[in-house]
Amino acid sequence: MRIPEMMKRRLRRGEAVESATTTSSSAAAAEPVEWEMRPGGMLVQKRSESALVDLATPNLRIRVVYGAVSVQISANAESTFGELKKLLTAETGLQPAEQRLIFRGKERENGEYLDTCGVKDRSKVVLIDDPESKERRMVEMRRKAKIETIQRLLDHVSTEIDRLVEQVDVIEKSIANGKRVAELQITTLIEMLMQQAVKLDNIPAAVDVCAHKDSQGERVQKCVEKLDVLKVLNAKQKVPPSVVASKWETFEPSNQWELFD
């Protein structure tokens, strides 16, 4: 019995399809299947890199409400809430560790994916401050304000010390040139330096300005010690000569002469 030519072609075509199916099935069976655990606890087949390239993941427009402010963030649907926090840092100034994201009444962890949690385009996410981070931020602000106040006080005292140091240098040069300085001037300068030392002691100690405060205290101490030495040297100076008057004293001649034997 002769098989028509058309039947032969169909048989050959069927054999080719069956052969291709068998080959692809064998290749699929030979390739191991990898699985991954989703944050929600669902076990799904891990997508290959080629599949990830082929599939275009859409960007979502997410409305984030932070107090009375509402901002719109564009994020990939397969991004995590931790990655969303990084995007919000530029908008709110809050670091990721200071943020808490609420979606559908539940706080979301950093490792949870947006699409897995049901975030859609134009979904609403609430952002609130982390209480502990907020408290740390307030403590840091108070600490900086205290340091700035201390720094202003220290700058004022430092300016006064600079002025007194210049006066000490003038006195030192005068005595070195053989001139005698009024002792009251040296004593007054010592008292003024000691007043600045008292002001330095009254300035609260702070780690950031401790070195500056100590250096100013050392300057005051050195100046007082120098003035004590100058006071002794000044006492040994010779009294400067009297100034000669420019106008000479005149005497009227007498007509009466006294006679002597």
Side-chain angles (χ1 to χ4, degrees):
M1 181 178 178
R2 296 180 61 183
I3 300 176
E5 187 66 23
M6 184 177 296
M7 293 295 294
K8 290 181 179 180
R9 291 179 180 177
R10 290 182 178 178
L11 288 174
R12 285 196 297 267
R13 188 176 301 173
E15 291 175 358
V17 172
E18 183 179 358
S19 176
T21 304
T22 305
T23 303
S24 61
S25 301
S26 301
E31 182 179 355
V33 178
E34 296 183 6
W35 300 86
E36 63 177 354
M37 181 71 71
R38 281 295 212 173
M42 181 182 298
L43 188 65
V44 297
Q45 184 177 356
K46 185 176 181 180
R47 289 176 288 186
S48 62
E49 295 183 359
S50 59
L52 291 175
V53 173
D54 295 338
L55 295 177
T57 306
N59 281 337
L60 304 177
R61 291 167 295 178
I62 304 172
R63 186 166 64 93
V64 181
V65 178
Y66 176 46
V69 180
S70 178
V71 296
Q72 181 172 291
I73 297 293
S74 178
N76 190 280
E78 292 185 352
S79 300
T80 63
F81 279 90
E83 293 169 338
L84 180 60
K85 289 180 179 180
K86 293 179 181 179
L87 297 175
L88 288 170
T89 299
E91 297 289 340
T92 63
L94 297 176
Q95 295 301 317
E98 300 173 345
Q99 302 177 29
R100 295 175 61 183
L101 295 179
I102 310 298
F103 179 65
R104 291 181 177 175
K106 180 181 178 182
E107 181 179 356
R108 301 298 174 173
E109 300 295 335
N110 291 335
E112 293 185 82
Y113 290 90
L114 300 179
D115 56 353
T116 304
C117 296
V119 178
K120 306 294 184 182
D121 190 41
R122 299 185 183 277
S123 290
K124 174 184 174 182
V125 177
V126 178
L127 168 64
I128 60 176
D129 288 343
D130 180 70
E132 296 181 0
S133 299
K134 186 176 182 180
E135 179 63 24
R136 288 195 299 268
R137 192 164 61 253
M138 293 298 297
V139 171
E140 182 65 16
M141 290 175 60
R142 288 193 293 266
R143 187 187 71 85
K144 289 183 178 180
K146 180 180 178 181
I147 292 176
E148 290 177 358
T149 302
I150 294 175
Q151 188 64 54
R152 285 195 297 269
L153 294 173
L154 191 55
D155 290 342
H156 177 72
V157 175
S158 299
T159 302
E160 290 296 318
I161 293 175
D162 291 340
R163 184 177 61 85
L164 296 175
V165 168
E166 292 178 358
Q167 297 183 25
V168 173
D169 293 338
V170 172
I171 292 177
E172 184 180 17
K173 291 179 181 179
S174 298
I175 295 176
N177 292 331
K179 297 179 181 180
R180 187 170 184 176
V181 181
E183 185 176 347
L184 179 60
Q185 186 176 357
I186 298 177
T187 304
T188 303
L189 195 52
I190 292 176
E191 291 178 356
M192 295 176 69
L193 285 167
M194 295 306 297
Q195 289 176 1
Q196 300 306 317
V198 173
K199 290 181 180 180
L200 285 173
D201 291 338
N202 292 333
I203 294 178
V207 177
D208 296 348
V209 297
C210 185
H212 190 192
K213 178 181 176 181
D214 292 342
S215 65
Q216 296 302 315
E218 292 175 359
R219 291 181 68 196
V220 172
Q221 183 178 356
K222 289 180 180 179
C223 286
V224 172
E225 293 174 354
K226 181 183 289 187
L227 287 173
D228 288 337
V229 175
L230 292 175
K231 188 175 181 181
V232 176
L233 295 175
N234 187 59
K236 295 179 181 180
Q237 294 284 0
K238 295 180 179 180
V239 178
S242 302
V243 178
V244 179
S246 59
K247 184 178 181 181
W248 293 89
E249 184 179 357
T250 60
F251 297 89
E252 294 293 336
S254 176
N255 295 327
Q256 297 181 353
W257 295 88
E258 185 178 358
L259 299 176
F260 293 92
D261 294 335

